[in-house]
Amino acid sequence: MQTETRQVWAKCLDIIRQEVNEQSFKTWFEPIVPLKIVHNTLTIQVPSQFFYEWLEENYVHVLRKAIDYTLGRNGMLEYSIIVDRGDRKNPPIALNVPNQKPTTPPPTQKRPEPTIYESPFQLKDLDSLELDSYLNPHYMFDNFVEGDCNRLGRSAGLAVAQRPGVTSFNPLMIYGGVGLGKTHLIQAIGNYIKNTYTDKFVLYVSSEKFVNQFINAIRNNTLQAFTNFYMQIDVLIIDDVQFLAGKEKTQESFFHIFNHLHQSGKQIIMSSDRPPRDLAGMQDRLLSRFKWGLTADLQQPDFETRIAIIQKKLQADGIYIKDEVIEYLAHSIDTNVRELEGVIVSLMAHASLNRKEIDMDLARATLKNIVVDSEKEISVDNIFDAITSHFDVTMADLKGKSRKKETVFPRQVAMYLMKEFTDLPLKSIGYHFGGRDHSTVIHAVQNISVLIDSDAEVEKMVQKLYKHFNRVRVKS
Ligand code: ADP
Ligand code: MG
């Protein structure tokens, strides 16, 4: 870095420091790296797109002032945004964004989605072509957080990635519920192989796309080309195979491709939303092939893993938020990783739009506003809202220490509802009530259950709350 650049930036920081508070300075200005000054234009490097947008939204006047002061009225600022491709081998891409049009975001690096009906298998000369793997380079092992919930799948995946086609994990079948990381993991394997063994042809395909290609191949009389194409693949990654259920002809074709690849020592990696034994509508001979290798499941991440995932995500975006906020999020969202990520993204969006720092208040407000799936999810805050409007208590009462009957009862009802309506572990429920421990929660739940069965008034009240949440209470 030029000395001049460093000096100019140091001056800018001096000015900025006077304009913003300590916390904002640390969060938004310390991570910036000054890169160069060319023709009166200072280029600064920022860690992410979000970071850039935040600066432009909230601090453009401060930056302008600093530039005016150091470089004069004609001074310009340019952003260089690190686009994290999750890939150590490829250096970050820098986008230069002049600050004259703060409203236009820089172009994204996304590759256009391939259309479902394109037929790569119709290409004749495979060797002379740059074959697209249809892998998303963002999905890497590096950013796949390990926890008890995914240890087996992750380590088997890594073994396969290091020695494709050679281990006994062939095929490798990863199964688990929605949003738990199946696509991420199987693509991470693909990316690893692609980067390590450059001569291997890796292909990622969703089962849906595979089915569509198959149907098209029949329609266009190119079935042979379709099959030949798939038989040349070194590493076939096929996502969501449950989608093949009931599609007899496609399964037959897949069966032949599978056998050919397997016999030639090629690696097959699959994912499914349920274990093979529950894959109804799948031919037995195909199912028995799935069992040749290794089947590993992904489960819901536990509290510690959720924390680690949030931290990783924030780190990737160059954002710092307080531990207590991270903990609050990890305690509040326990469904799946996709939802966890979704909440973080909307939190960042809210912060940006409302020009607020990400703190507890904003986290609470954001979680409350997130539309919850009426069938499935009722959030902690929904329950608190219902309780505080139904009873004469405040949030502070519920979280506080009072042992008064008028407070204890609503508090216990709230705990009971949380136990009923969320999948939160007792420890997390206790956390939401001012850090009470799990035995207090057990006691509350038992107490309310007994009252429901023995006291008609209590039963009626609980029914009403169920109704409020569009739930039906099934009597035990
Ligand atoms: P699935 O295919 O099982 O529905 P995805 O692979 O699409 O789930 O994962 C949903 C989101 O959660 C993705 O953005 C993914 O990167 C992220 N994710 C899932 N598991 C992890 C993990 N262990 N570490 C980091 N990110 C994860
Ligand atoms: Mg998926």
Side-chain angles (χ1 to χ4, degrees), residues 82-137:
I82 301 178
V83 177
D84 181 11
R85 304 179 68 197
D87 179 354
R88 292 233 176 93
K89 281 191 188 149
N90 296 320
I93 304 166
L95 300 171
N96 286 331
V97 188
N99 71 337
Q100 273 162 335
K101 284 181 273 160
T103 40
T104 4
T108 53
Q109 293 287 309
K110 268 207 183 129
R111 161 178 73 191
E113 247 317 282
T115 55
I116 258 168
Y117 292 107
E118 96 190 270
S119 330
F121 46 86
Q122 282 172 332
L123 302 172
K124 294 265 154 32
D125 187 4
L126 281 177
D127 289 342
S128 64
L129 282 167
E130 255 282 358
L131 287 165
D132 198 332
S133 290
Y134 296 101
L135 288 165
N136 176 343

Short mmCIF file of all heavy atoms in Angstrom, two decimals, residues 82-137:
data_model
loop_
_atom_site.label_atom_id
_atom_site.label_comp_id
_atom_site.label_asym_id
_atom_site.label_seq_id
_atom_site.Cartn_x
_atom_site.Cartn_y
_atom_site.Cartn_z
N ILE A 82 -15.08 -7.23 -1.55
CA ILE A 82 -14.60 -8.61 -1.61
C ILE A 82 -15.79 -9.50 -1.87
O ILE A 82 -16.75 -9.50 -1.11
CB ILE A 82 -13.94 -9.04 -0.29
CG1 ILE A 82 -12.77 -8.13 0.02
CG2 ILE A 82 -13.52 -10.49 -0.36
CD1 ILE A 82 -12.10 -8.46 1.33
N VAL A 83 -15.74 -10.24 -2.95
CA VAL A 83 -16.81 -11.20 -3.19
C VAL A 83 -16.26 -12.54 -2.78
O VAL A 83 -15.37 -13.08 -3.40
CB VAL A 83 -17.23 -11.21 -4.66
CG1 VAL A 83 -18.29 -12.26 -4.89
CG2 VAL A 83 -17.72 -9.84 -5.06
N ASP A 84 -16.80 -13.03 -1.69
CA ASP A 84 -16.27 -14.28 -1.15
C ASP A 84 -16.77 -15.44 -1.97
O ASP A 84 -17.95 -15.72 -2.01
CB ASP A 84 -16.73 -14.44 0.30
CG ASP A 84 -16.17 -15.71 0.90
OD1 ASP A 84 -15.28 -16.31 0.26
OD2 ASP A 84 -16.61 -16.09 1.99
N ARG A 85 -15.86 -16.08 -2.64
CA ARG A 85 -16.28 -17.23 -3.43
C ARG A 85 -16.08 -18.51 -2.64
O ARG A 85 -16.21 -19.60 -3.16
CB ARG A 85 -15.51 -17.29 -4.74
CG ARG A 85 -15.67 -16.00 -5.52
CD ARG A 85 -14.90 -16.04 -6.80
NE ARG A 85 -15.46 -17.01 -7.71
CZ ARG A 85 -14.80 -17.48 -8.75
NH1 ARG A 85 -13.58 -17.09 -8.97
NH2 ARG A 85 -15.37 -18.34 -9.56
N GLY A 86 -15.72 -18.35 -1.38
CA GLY A 86 -15.56 -19.52 -0.53
C GLY A 86 -14.46 -20.43 -1.04
O GLY A 86 -14.45 -21.61 -0.78
N ASP A 87 -13.55 -19.91 -1.77
CA ASP A 87 -12.58 -20.76 -2.42
C ASP A 87 -11.21 -20.13 -2.26
O ASP A 87 -10.93 -19.09 -2.83
CB ASP A 87 -12.98 -20.86 -3.89
CG ASP A 87 -12.01 -21.73 -4.67
OD1 ASP A 87 -10.99 -22.15 -4.09
OD2 ASP A 87 -12.27 -21.97 -5.84
N ARG A 88 -10.39 -20.77 -1.48
CA ARG A 88 -9.09 -20.19 -1.18
C ARG A 88 -8.22 -20.02 -2.42
O ARG A 88 -7.38 -19.16 -2.48
CB ARG A 88 -8.36 -21.08 -0.18
CG ARG A 88 -9.03 -21.05 1.17
CD ARG A 88 -8.02 -20.70 2.25
NE ARG A 88 -8.70 -20.59 3.51
CZ ARG A 88 -8.82 -21.61 4.36
NH1 ARG A 88 -8.27 -22.78 4.08
NH2 ARG A 88 -9.46 -21.46 5.49
N LYS A 89 -8.42 -20.93 -3.38
CA LYS A 89 -7.53 -20.90 -4.53
C LYS A 89 -7.77 -19.70 -5.42
O LYS A 89 -6.86 -19.20 -6.05
CB LYS A 89 -7.70 -22.17 -5.36
CG LYS A 89 -6.96 -23.34 -4.74
CD LYS A 89 -6.92 -24.48 -5.71
CE LYS A 89 -6.36 -25.70 -5.05
NZ LYS A 89 -6.92 -26.90 -5.63
N ASN A 90 -9.02 -19.29 -5.50
CA ASN A 90 -9.32 -18.12 -6.30
C ASN A 90 -9.32 -16.90 -5.41
O ASN A 90 -10.04 -16.85 -4.44
CB ASN A 90 -10.69 -18.24 -6.95
CG ASN A 90 -10.73 -19.39 -7.93
OD1 ASN A 90 -9.77 -19.61 -8.66
ND2 ASN A 90 -11.81 -20.15 -7.90
N PRO A 91 -8.50 -15.93 -5.74
CA PRO A 91 -8.49 -14.74 -4.90
C PRO A 91 -9.83 -14.02 -5.00
O PRO A 91 -10.57 -14.22 -5.97
CB PRO A 91 -7.38 -13.89 -5.52
CG PRO A 91 -7.23 -14.39 -6.92
CD PRO A 91 -7.64 -15.81 -6.91
N PRO A 92 -10.15 -13.19 -4.00
CA PRO A 92 -11.42 -12.48 -4.05
C PRO A 92 -11.49 -11.59 -5.28
O PRO A 92 -10.48 -11.09 -5.75
CB PRO A 92 -11.40 -11.62 -2.79
CG PRO A 92 -10.12 -11.87 -2.11
CD PRO A 92 -9.35 -12.89 -2.84
N ILE A 93 -12.67 -11.41 -5.77
CA ILE A 93 -12.85 -10.52 -6.91
C ILE A 93 -13.13 -9.13 -6.36
O ILE A 93 -13.92 -8.98 -5.45
CB ILE A 93 -14.08 -10.93 -7.73
CG1 ILE A 93 -13.94 -12.38 -8.14
CG2 ILE A 93 -14.26 -10.03 -8.93
CD1 ILE A 93 -15.24 -12.94 -8.65
N ALA A 94 -12.51 -8.16 -6.92
CA ALA A 94 -12.79 -6.80 -6.45
C ALA A 94 -13.67 -6.09 -7.48
O ALA A 94 -13.43 -6.17 -8.67
CB ALA A 94 -11.50 -6.06 -6.25
N LEU A 95 -14.70 -5.48 -7.00
CA LEU A 95 -15.55 -4.68 -7.88
C LEU A 95 -15.31 -3.24 -7.51
O LEU A 95 -15.31 -2.88 -6.34
CB LEU A 95 -17.02 -4.98 -7.61
CG LEU A 95 -17.49 -6.39 -7.81
CD1 LEU A 95 -18.90 -6.51 -7.27
CD2 LEU A 95 -17.46 -6.73 -9.28
N ASN A 96 -15.11 -2.41 -8.47
CA ASN A 96 -14.92 -1.01 -8.14
C ASN A 96 -16.22 -0.26 -8.32
O ASN A 96 -16.84 -0.34 -9.36
CB ASN A 96 -13.84 -0.40 -9.01
CG ASN A 96 -12.48 -0.87 -8.55
OD1 ASN A 96 -12.31 -1.17 -7.37
ND2 ASN A 96 -11.55 -0.99 -9.46
N VAL A 97 -16.61 0.40 -7.29
CA VAL A 97 -17.87 1.11 -7.35
C VAL A 97 -17.65 2.58 -7.07
O VAL A 97 -17.34 2.95 -5.95
CB VAL A 97 -18.82 0.55 -6.27
CG1 VAL A 97 -20.20 1.14 -6.43
CG2 VAL A 97 -18.89 -0.96 -6.35
N PRO A 98 -17.80 3.42 -8.07
CA PRO A 98 -17.65 4.84 -7.78
C PRO A 98 -18.81 5.29 -6.91
O PRO A 98 -19.90 4.76 -7.03
CB PRO A 98 -17.72 5.52 -9.15
CG PRO A 98 -18.18 4.48 -10.10
CD PRO A 98 -18.14 3.15 -9.45
N ASN A 99 -18.58 6.24 -6.03
CA ASN A 99 -19.66 6.58 -5.11
C ASN A 99 -20.60 7.64 -5.65
O ASN A 99 -21.31 8.29 -4.93
CB ASN A 99 -19.12 7.01 -3.75
CG ASN A 99 -18.46 8.35 -3.84
OD1 ASN A 99 -18.03 8.75 -4.91
ND2 ASN A 99 -18.38 9.05 -2.71
N GLN A 100 -20.58 7.81 -6.98
CA GLN A 100 -21.45 8.84 -7.50
C GLN A 100 -22.89 8.40 -7.63
O GLN A 100 -23.80 9.20 -7.57
CB GLN A 100 -20.92 9.34 -8.83
CG GLN A 100 -19.92 10.45 -8.54
CD GLN A 100 -19.03 10.72 -9.69
OE1 GLN A 100 -18.80 9.86 -10.53
NE2 GLN A 100 -18.52 11.92 -9.74
N LYS A 101 -23.06 7.13 -7.83
CA LYS A 101 -24.43 6.65 -7.94
C LYS A 101 -24.70 5.67 -6.81
O LYS A 101 -24.72 4.47 -7.00
CB LYS A 101 -24.64 5.95 -9.29
CG LYS A 101 -24.77 6.91 -10.44
CD LYS A 101 -24.99 6.15 -11.72
CE LYS A 101 -23.67 5.76 -12.34
NZ LYS A 101 -23.68 4.70 -13.27
N PRO A 102 -24.89 6.19 -5.62
CA PRO A 102 -25.01 5.31 -4.47
C PRO A 102 -26.21 4.37 -4.55
O PRO A 102 -26.25 3.38 -3.88
CB PRO A 102 -25.13 6.26 -3.28
CG PRO A 102 -25.51 7.57 -3.85
CD PRO A 102 -25.03 7.60 -5.26
N THR A 103 -27.17 4.72 -5.39
CA THR A 103 -28.36 3.89 -5.41
C THR A 103 -28.22 2.62 -6.25
O THR A 103 -28.93 1.68 -6.06
CB THR A 103 -29.57 4.68 -5.94
OG1 THR A 103 -29.10 5.48 -7.02
CG2 THR A 103 -30.17 5.55 -4.85
N THR A 104 -27.27 2.63 -7.19
CA THR A 104 -27.13 1.41 -7.99
C THR A 104 -26.15 0.46 -7.34
O THR A 104 -24.98 0.81 -7.16
CB THR A 104 -26.56 1.71 -9.40
OG1 THR A 104 -26.27 3.09 -9.45
CG2 THR A 104 -27.45 1.25 -10.51
N PRO A 105 -26.60 -0.70 -6.98
CA PRO A 105 -25.67 -1.65 -6.40
C PRO A 105 -24.72 -2.16 -7.47
O PRO A 105 -25.07 -2.13 -8.66
CB PRO A 105 -26.58 -2.78 -5.90
CG PRO A 105 -27.82 -2.67 -6.71
CD PRO A 105 -27.94 -1.25 -7.14
N PRO A 106 -23.54 -2.59 -7.08
CA PRO A 106 -22.62 -3.12 -8.07
C PRO A 106 -23.17 -4.40 -8.69
O PRO A 106 -24.00 -5.06 -8.08
CB PRO A 106 -21.36 -3.41 -7.25
CG PRO A 106 -21.85 -3.57 -5.86
CD PRO A 106 -23.04 -2.70 -5.73
N PRO A 107 -22.72 -4.73 -9.88
CA PRO A 107 -23.24 -5.94 -10.51
C PRO A 107 -22.91 -7.16 -9.67
O PRO A 107 -21.84 -7.22 -9.08
CB PRO A 107 -22.49 -5.99 -11.84
CG PRO A 107 -21.28 -5.12 -11.64
CD PRO A 107 -21.66 -4.09 -10.65
N THR A 108 -23.81 -8.08 -9.59
CA THR A 108 -23.50 -9.28 -8.83
C THR A 108 -22.77 -10.25 -9.74
O THR A 108 -22.80 -10.13 -10.95
CB THR A 108 -24.78 -9.96 -8.30
OG1 THR A 108 -25.64 -10.14 -9.42
CG2 THR A 108 -25.44 -9.11 -7.25
N GLN A 109 -22.13 -11.19 -9.09
CA GLN A 109 -21.28 -12.11 -9.84
C GLN A 109 -22.02 -13.37 -10.24
O GLN A 109 -21.44 -14.31 -10.72
CB GLN A 109 -20.08 -12.50 -8.96
CG GLN A 109 -19.17 -11.34 -8.68
CD GLN A 109 -18.36 -10.97 -9.89
OE1 GLN A 109 -17.74 -11.81 -10.50
NE2 GLN A 109 -18.41 -9.72 -10.28
N LYS A 110 -23.30 -13.36 -9.99
CA LYS A 110 -24.04 -14.60 -10.22
C LYS A 110 -24.06 -15.01 -11.68
O LYS A 110 -24.28 -14.20 -12.56
CB LYS A 110 -25.46 -14.45 -9.71
CG LYS A 110 -25.58 -14.91 -8.30
CD LYS A 110 -26.99 -15.38 -8.02
CE LYS A 110 -27.13 -15.77 -6.57
NZ LYS A 110 -28.26 -15.14 -5.95
N ARG A 111 -23.89 -16.26 -11.86
CA ARG A 111 -23.97 -16.79 -13.21
C ARG A 111 -25.44 -17.03 -13.51
O ARG A 111 -26.21 -17.39 -12.62
CB ARG A 111 -23.21 -18.12 -13.14
CG ARG A 111 -23.49 -19.07 -14.22
CD ARG A 111 -22.64 -20.29 -14.04
NE ARG A 111 -23.09 -21.12 -12.93
CZ ARG A 111 -22.40 -22.11 -12.45
NH1 ARG A 111 -21.23 -22.38 -12.92
NH2 ARG A 111 -22.86 -22.86 -11.47
N PRO A 112 -25.87 -16.80 -14.72
CA PRO A 112 -27.30 -17.02 -15.00
C PRO A 112 -27.68 -18.48 -14.75
O PRO A 112 -26.88 -19.38 -15.00
CB PRO A 112 -27.43 -16.65 -16.48
CG PRO A 112 -26.04 -16.63 -17.03
CD PRO A 112 -25.12 -16.36 -15.90
N GLU A 113 -28.85 -18.66 -14.22
CA GLU A 113 -29.35 -20.01 -13.97
C GLU A 113 -29.45 -20.77 -15.29
O GLU A 113 -30.02 -20.26 -16.25
CB GLU A 113 -30.77 -19.91 -13.40
CG GLU A 113 -30.96 -20.35 -11.97
CD GLU A 113 -30.27 -21.60 -11.55
OE1 GLU A 113 -30.77 -22.69 -11.89
OE2 GLU A 113 -29.22 -21.52 -10.88
N PRO A 114 -28.93 -21.95 -15.36
CA PRO A 114 -29.13 -22.71 -16.59
C PRO A 114 -30.61 -23.08 -16.73
O PRO A 114 -31.26 -23.37 -15.74
CB PRO A 114 -28.28 -23.96 -16.37
CG PRO A 114 -28.07 -24.05 -14.91
CD PRO A 114 -28.15 -22.65 -14.37
N THR A 115 -31.11 -23.04 -17.91
CA THR A 115 -32.52 -23.40 -18.06
C THR A 115 -32.63 -24.91 -17.99
O THR A 115 -31.71 -25.64 -18.34
CB THR A 115 -33.11 -22.94 -19.39
OG1 THR A 115 -32.28 -23.47 -20.41
CG2 THR A 115 -33.14 -21.43 -19.49
N ILE A 116 -33.79 -25.32 -17.56
CA ILE A 116 -34.00 -26.74 -17.32
C ILE A 116 -33.95 -27.56 -18.61
O ILE A 116 -33.53 -28.69 -18.64
CB ILE A 116 -35.33 -26.91 -16.58
CG1 ILE A 116 -35.05 -27.15 -15.11
CG2 ILE A 116 -36.15 -28.03 -17.14
CD1 ILE A 116 -36.26 -27.04 -14.24
N TYR A 117 -34.35 -26.93 -19.70
CA TYR A 117 -34.46 -27.73 -20.91
C TYR A 117 -33.21 -27.76 -21.77
O TYR A 117 -33.19 -28.37 -22.80
CB TYR A 117 -35.66 -27.25 -21.74
CG TYR A 117 -36.93 -27.58 -21.02
CD1 TYR A 117 -37.67 -26.59 -20.40
CD2 TYR A 117 -37.34 -28.91 -20.87
CE1 TYR A 117 -38.82 -26.90 -19.68
CE2 TYR A 117 -38.47 -29.22 -20.17
CZ TYR A 117 -39.21 -28.22 -19.57
OH TYR A 117 -40.31 -28.54 -18.86
N GLU A 118 -32.19 -27.07 -21.32
CA GLU A 118 -31.00 -27.13 -22.16
C GLU A 118 -30.42 -28.55 -22.04
O GLU A 118 -30.56 -29.21 -21.02
CB GLU A 118 -30.01 -26.06 -21.73
CG GLU A 118 -28.94 -26.53 -20.79
CD GLU A 118 -28.19 -25.34 -20.24
OE1 GLU A 118 -27.21 -24.96 -20.86
OE2 GLU A 118 -28.58 -24.79 -19.21
N SER A 119 -29.83 -29.02 -23.09
CA SER A 119 -29.37 -30.41 -23.07
C SER A 119 -27.87 -30.48 -23.27
O SER A 119 -27.40 -30.51 -24.40
CB SER A 119 -30.04 -31.21 -24.18
OG SER A 119 -31.29 -30.68 -24.44
N PRO A 120 -27.12 -30.46 -22.20
CA PRO A 120 -25.67 -30.50 -22.33
C PRO A 120 -25.22 -31.78 -23.03
O PRO A 120 -24.17 -31.82 -23.65
CB PRO A 120 -25.19 -30.46 -20.88
CG PRO A 120 -26.34 -30.89 -20.06
CD PRO A 120 -27.57 -30.51 -20.81
N PHE A 121 -26.05 -32.81 -22.91
CA PHE A 121 -25.64 -34.12 -23.45
C PHE A 121 -25.71 -34.17 -24.97
O PHE A 121 -25.37 -35.14 -25.58
CB PHE A 121 -26.50 -35.23 -22.85
CG PHE A 121 -27.96 -34.92 -22.86
CD1 PHE A 121 -28.73 -35.19 -23.97
CD2 PHE A 121 -28.56 -34.32 -21.75
CE1 PHE A 121 -30.07 -34.88 -23.97
CE2 PHE A 121 -29.89 -34.02 -21.76
CZ PHE A 121 -30.66 -34.30 -22.88
N GLN A 122 -26.22 -33.09 -25.56
CA GLN A 122 -26.23 -33.10 -27.02
C GLN A 122 -24.93 -32.57 -27.60
O GLN A 122 -24.71 -32.61 -28.79
CB GLN A 122 -27.40 -32.26 -27.55
CG GLN A 122 -28.70 -33.02 -27.42
CD GLN A 122 -29.89 -32.16 -27.74
OE1 GLN A 122 -29.87 -30.94 -27.56
NE2 GLN A 122 -30.94 -32.78 -28.23
N LEU A 123 -24.08 -32.07 -26.72
CA LEU A 123 -22.81 -31.56 -27.21
C LEU A 123 -21.98 -32.75 -27.67
O LEU A 123 -21.86 -33.75 -26.98
CB LEU A 123 -22.10 -30.82 -26.08
CG LEU A 123 -22.92 -29.65 -25.51
CD1 LEU A 123 -22.24 -29.09 -24.28
CD2 LEU A 123 -23.13 -28.58 -26.55
N LYS A 124 -21.35 -32.61 -28.82
CA LYS A 124 -20.67 -33.76 -29.42
C LYS A 124 -19.29 -34.00 -28.81
O LYS A 124 -19.01 -35.03 -28.25
CB LYS A 124 -20.54 -33.54 -30.93
CG LYS A 124 -21.89 -33.55 -31.64
CD LYS A 124 -22.19 -34.92 -32.17
CE LYS A 124 -23.67 -35.22 -32.32
NZ LYS A 124 -24.55 -34.12 -32.65
N ASP A 125 -18.45 -32.98 -28.93
CA ASP A 125 -17.05 -33.20 -28.61
C ASP A 125 -16.75 -32.79 -27.17
O ASP A 125 -16.41 -31.66 -26.89
CB ASP A 125 -16.21 -32.38 -29.59
CG ASP A 125 -14.74 -32.71 -29.41
OD1 ASP A 125 -14.43 -33.60 -28.60
OD2 ASP A 125 -13.92 -32.05 -30.07
N LEU A 126 -16.88 -33.74 -26.28
CA LEU A 126 -16.75 -33.42 -24.87
C LEU A 126 -15.37 -32.86 -24.49
O LEU A 126 -15.26 -31.97 -23.68
CB LEU A 126 -17.02 -34.66 -24.02
CG LEU A 126 -18.49 -35.00 -23.83
CD1 LEU A 126 -18.62 -36.29 -23.05
CD2 LEU A 126 -19.21 -33.88 -23.11
N ASP A 127 -14.34 -33.43 -25.10
CA ASP A 127 -12.99 -33.06 -24.68
C ASP A 127 -12.66 -31.61 -24.95
O ASP A 127 -11.92 -30.98 -24.21
CB ASP A 127 -11.96 -33.93 -25.42
CG ASP A 127 -12.04 -35.34 -24.87
OD1 ASP A 127 -12.59 -35.49 -23.77
OD2 ASP A 127 -11.59 -36.28 -25.55
N SER A 128 -13.20 -31.11 -26.04
CA SER A 128 -12.81 -29.76 -26.43
C SER A 128 -13.64 -28.70 -25.73
O SER A 128 -13.49 -27.53 -25.97
CB SER A 128 -12.96 -29.61 -27.94
OG SER A 128 -14.32 -29.74 -28.27
N LEU A 129 -14.51 -29.13 -24.87
CA LEU A 129 -15.40 -28.15 -24.25
C LEU A 129 -15.09 -27.91 -22.79
O LEU A 129 -14.70 -28.82 -22.08
CB LEU A 129 -16.85 -28.64 -24.35
CG LEU A 129 -17.48 -28.47 -25.71
CD1 LEU A 129 -18.76 -29.26 -25.76
CD2 LEU A 129 -17.77 -27.00 -25.96
N GLU A 130 -15.27 -26.70 -22.37
CA GLU A 130 -15.22 -26.39 -20.96
C GLU A 130 -16.53 -26.88 -20.39
O GLU A 130 -17.58 -26.29 -20.64
CB GLU A 130 -15.17 -24.87 -20.79
CG GLU A 130 -13.85 -24.31 -20.40
CD GLU A 130 -13.51 -24.47 -18.93
OE1 GLU A 130 -14.33 -25.00 -18.15
OE2 GLU A 130 -12.39 -24.09 -18.57
N LEU A 131 -16.50 -27.95 -19.66
CA LEU A 131 -17.78 -28.48 -19.19
C LEU A 131 -18.22 -27.80 -17.92
O LEU A 131 -17.44 -27.63 -16.99
CB LEU A 131 -17.66 -29.98 -18.97
CG LEU A 131 -17.59 -30.74 -20.28
CD1 LEU A 131 -17.10 -32.15 -20.04
CD2 LEU A 131 -18.95 -30.75 -20.96
N ASP A 132 -19.45 -27.42 -17.89
CA ASP A 132 -19.95 -26.78 -16.70
C ASP A 132 -20.42 -27.84 -15.70
O ASP A 132 -21.11 -28.77 -16.07
CB ASP A 132 -21.11 -25.85 -17.06
CG ASP A 132 -21.37 -24.85 -15.96
OD1 ASP A 132 -21.07 -25.18 -14.78
OD2 ASP A 132 -21.86 -23.76 -16.26
N SER A 133 -20.02 -27.65 -14.47
CA SER A 133 -20.40 -28.62 -13.45
C SER A 133 -21.71 -28.24 -12.77
O SER A 133 -22.25 -29.01 -12.00
CB SER A 133 -19.33 -28.70 -12.37
OG SER A 133 -18.20 -29.31 -12.88
N TYR A 134 -22.17 -27.02 -13.03
CA TYR A 134 -23.37 -26.51 -12.38
C TYR A 134 -23.25 -26.51 -10.86
O TYR A 134 -24.21 -26.75 -10.14
CB TYR A 134 -24.64 -27.27 -12.84
CG TYR A 134 -24.88 -27.04 -14.30
CD1 TYR A 134 -24.53 -28.00 -15.23
CD2 TYR A 134 -25.40 -25.84 -14.73
CE1 TYR A 134 -24.70 -27.77 -16.58
CE2 TYR A 134 -25.58 -25.59 -16.08
CZ TYR A 134 -25.23 -26.55 -17.00
OH TYR A 134 -25.40 -26.30 -18.32
N LEU A 135 -22.02 -26.29 -10.41
CA LEU A 135 -21.80 -26.21 -8.97
C LEU A 135 -21.79 -24.74 -8.56
O LEU A 135 -21.30 -23.90 -9.30
CB LEU A 135 -20.44 -26.82 -8.61
CG LEU A 135 -20.34 -28.33 -8.70
CD1 LEU A 135 -18.87 -28.75 -8.69
CD2 LEU A 135 -21.09 -28.99 -7.55
N ASN A 136 -22.31 -24.47 -7.42
CA ASN A 136 -22.23 -23.13 -6.87
C ASN A 136 -20.94 -23.03 -6.05
O ASN A 136 -20.80 -23.72 -5.05
CB ASN A 136 -23.46 -22.89 -5.99
CG ASN A 136 -23.44 -21.56 -5.28
OD1 ASN A 136 -22.38 -20.93 -5.18
ND2 ASN A 136 -24.58 -21.14 -4.79
N PRO A 137 -20.00 -22.19 -6.49
CA PRO A 137 -18.68 -22.17 -5.84
C PRO A 137 -18.74 -21.71 -4.38
O PRO A 137 -17.77 -21.83 -3.64
CB PRO A 137 -17.88 -21.18 -6.68
CG PRO A 137 -18.88 -20.35 -7.38
CD PRO A 137 -20.11 -21.19 -7.56
#
